[in-house]
Amino acid sequence: MSSDLRSVIVNPKSPAIVAGLSMKMIAGNTTTIGGPAIYAALGVRYAGISTALLTAVGRDLTDVDNAIAISIDDECIPLRTKLPRSMITWSGPAILGATGKGTLSDNPSLWRAMPPKNYNMSGHALILANGDPDWYQTLLTACTPSLIFMDAHIEWLRIREKSLNACLQKAHVVTITETEYKALPLSVRSGVSFGGNDKALIIKRGSQGVTIIAGNQRRELPPPKPMVTRTDVGCGDLLVGSLAGHFLTSSSTEAPQTLIDRLTQAYLDSITPLTKLIESDSPRTFIGHCITQLQSRQSANEVQ
């Protein structure tokens, strides 16, 4: 790990790699491809950074699902792995609240993907979005990304304590809910220890906003303030992707120099897409809006 997170060098022409679960999502009366990898990648793309999806999809991936994945994925060598089984399905209410849980149709530990052996991750940023920590540990052993953002999920703690801790130790920026952080045993909490500018923790506190701990400083920031709350599905995953994307963007601009200032600005920039998601009437509506926005931006760039 770099001795100073502020000085981490990431090739701006290399897509940020998002490794996580993709799945069919049923929320309310709508069904669409979604999941942590899709939401995190949308967050990265919102910041203007290209992405590569390192994820597994099922044999029943529809043309519409595939079109969404292709729209999000900028990598010329697709990293998506197609498994010989039906897509994993998540279903849950539109507003999850503090529990943040839905129901899965399959074992998420089976849904893994690895890049080709000759694929070089040096110079890439890697966003880990709620995949099996055993998978992530294998990935981090085989590859050496320049920058690692990780959204930690307590669901893996009971069966993946050792590998979860190993991943947390390697991650540069960790996002985690306040409830999950308090529930971490000391053996795992050691993976998110701090001191200086080599690591940052962002504690998600729901309606109370977030707490950022970085560079031996602590800062409390406000939550999004939507006009109406229709859904919170995917907010955590969208946040980690948006944070990573805006952090990468700030590395090539006249941004605040302190680590906590850069992360603060990245969070404040993330409030807009988070608000849009919370106000959307369904995951399909939000993802569709993002795809349209990406296509419009691409068309504008081609004209220029």
Side-chain angles (χ1 to χ4, degrees), residues 13-34:
K13 295 183 179 179
S14 299
I17 299 170
V18 179
L21 293 171
S22 294
M23 61 192 74
K24 284 188 175 180
M25 294 183 63
I26 303 174
N29 297 320
T30 65
T31 301
T32 186
I33 185 175

Side-chain angles (χ1 to χ4, degrees), residues 20-137:
L21 293 171
S22 294
M23 61 192 74
K24 284 188 175 180
M25 294 183 63
I26 303 174
N29 297 320
T30 65
T31 301
T32 186
I33 185 175
I38 299 295
Y39 278 106
L42 287 171
V44 177
R45 290 297 303 276
Y46 187 89
I49 302 294
S50 61
T51 59
L53 280 174
L54 181 61
T55 190
V57 295
R59 59 176 171 78
D60 58 341
L61 187 74
T62 67
D63 291 342
V64 173
D65 294 335
N66 195 50
I68 289 174
I70 291 173
S71 296
I72 297 171
D73 200 337
D74 290 301
E75 183 53 272
C76 57
I77 304 174
L79 303 182
R80 298 186 303 279
T81 297
K82 194 170 185 178
L83 300 183
R85 59 196 299 133
S86 300
M87 284 190 73
I88 189 172
T89 300
W90 177 95
S91 60
I95 299 177
L96 298 174
T99 60
K101 294 182 180 179
T103 301
L104 287 172
S105 66
D106 201 353
N107 181 354
S109 69
L110 301 174
W111 292 81
R112 306 182 182 189
M114 292 292 289
K117 291 184 179 180
N118 60 348
Y119 190 90
N120 187 0
M121 279 197 185
S122 297
H124 289 269
L126 176 65
I127 295 93
L128 304 177
N130 195 17
D132 187 342
D134 275 359
W135 167 33
Y136 288 157
Q137 186 176 19

Side-chain angles (χ1 to χ4, degrees), residues 150-168:
M150 181 177 183
D151 189 30
H153 284 261
I154 201 72
E155 292 95 333
W156 293 107
L157 183 61
R158 290 181 293 104
I159 59 174
R160 298 288 191 261
E161 182 173 324
K162 185 176 180 180
S163 56
L164 176 61
N165 192 37
C167 293
L168 290 172

